[in-house]
Amino acid sequence: SLERLLDPEDSVTVNEMKRQELQKRFYQSFIKFLRILSDPNKHPLVLYVDDLQWSDKGSLELLLAIFSEDEPIHGLLVLGTCRSDEVKFDSLLSQTLRDLEDKHNTHINEIRLTNMEPDSITQIMGEVLQLGESRVKSLAEILWHHTEGNCLFVAQLVKKLLEERLIYVDATSLEWTWKDVDEIRGRID
């Protein structure tokens, strides 16, 4: 191979050039794949990337490559999520997002999700369980107290209550019901 003819220092350069070329080919192939899949008139494509705060350099470089194309990928929506409290101003993700906006003229909409208020949990539980809000208020208060309204934690706690049969369908009334609130508190504390 060519590497045997070169000094060891030169072989590092050759290896780096190979890596860069392979990376460039991968990016081009992936972008071509996205172009094939997305068609704004027939089937737009949503590329969902979760937990961007943990993205490695290569993944963020791929995002830059997607948005650096001279011809945009029509019909493509990239939706990314991250925990904003885990992203510092000087992090690689923050720098990448600034680059996308400043150098690549990419518009980024930021939607910050806040914790739900007790009334929101009450409304959602009333709709999900198909019961009036007054009937689910005590259950919603427990959910809010233990989750402080964090959407993910509310969903996980409801799942746990269902799995432990603390929330269940009553065989007689065929309506959702739940154990005594004190029993629920005792089981989840």
Side-chain angles (χ1 to χ4, degrees):
S1 82
L2 179 63
E3 294 164 343
R4 286 192 226 158
L5 299 173
L6 302 172
D7 286 340
E9 290 178 19
D10 291 338
S11 72
V12 172
T13 305
V14 169
N15 287 335
E16 180 62 22
M17 286 172 34
K18 285 180 183 178
R19 188 194 68 76
Q20 288 175 354
E21 182 59 31
L22 287 173
Q23 186 176 38
K24 183 179 175 183
R25 285 184 189 178
F26 171 74
Y27 291 169
Q28 289 170 341
S29 297
F30 189 75
I31 290 167
K32 186 176 182 180
F33 177 68
L34 292 177
R35 286 188 193 285
I36 290 168
L37 290 179
S38 62
D39 180 339
N41 299 318
K42 295 180 184 172
H43 43 83
L45 177 66
V46 176
L47 178 61
Y48 176 69
V49 186
D50 194 16
D51 291 325
L52 279 169
Q53 73 274 6
W54 296 320
S55 296
D56 62 359
K57 184 179 177 187
S59 300
L60 294 174
E61 286 175 352
L62 177 59
L63 280 178
L64 278 172
I66 291 169
F67 289 102
S68 299
E69 288 289 293
D70 292 333
E71 178 66 28
I73 303 173
H74 298 287
L76 174 67
L77 171 67
V78 177
L79 179 62
T81 62
C82 71
R83 297 180 185 177
S84 57
D85 59 331
E86 294 185 24
V87 178
K88 305 293 183 228
F89 179 78
D90 61 344
S91 71
L92 189 56
L93 174 60
S94 293
Q95 292 170 5
T96 301
L97 294 176
R98 284 193 300 275
D99 282 353
L100 284 171
E101 285 188 309
D102 299 341
K103 296 177 185 171
H104 302 288
N105 200 26
T106 302
H107 181 69
I108 297 174
N109 286 324
E110 184 176 331
I111 302 170
R112 290 191 179 263
L113 298 181
T114 58
N115 289 353
M116 293 187 292
E117 296 294 325
D119 288 344
S120 297
I121 296 174
T122 302
Q123 180 183 2
I124 290 170
M125 292 306 296
E127 290 175 12
V128 167
L129 301 178
Q130 298 179 342
L131 299 170
E133 290 182 24
S134 61
R135 289 188 55 197
V136 299
K137 190 160 184 69
S138 61
L139 177 62
E141 287 172 352
I142 293 171
L143 294 172
W144 188 88
H145 174 75
H146 286 278
T147 64
E148 296 182 358
N150 179 300
C151 301
L152 175 63
F153 298 158
V154 170
Q156 288 174 336
L157 183 54
V158 168
K159 181 179 177 186
K160 178 181 177 177
L161 295 176
L162 287 165
E163 288 170 352
E164 294 184 12
R165 303 236 347 112
L166 295 170
I167 299 176
Y168 58 95
V169 175
D170 181 73
T172 308
S173 67
L174 299 178
E175 288 186 339
W176 286 100
T177 191
W178 47 93
K179 301 284 185 179
D180 179 72
V181 292
D182 291 329
E183 183 178 346
I184 294 173
R185 281 190 186 106
R187 298 268 298 269
I188 60 177
D189 279 336

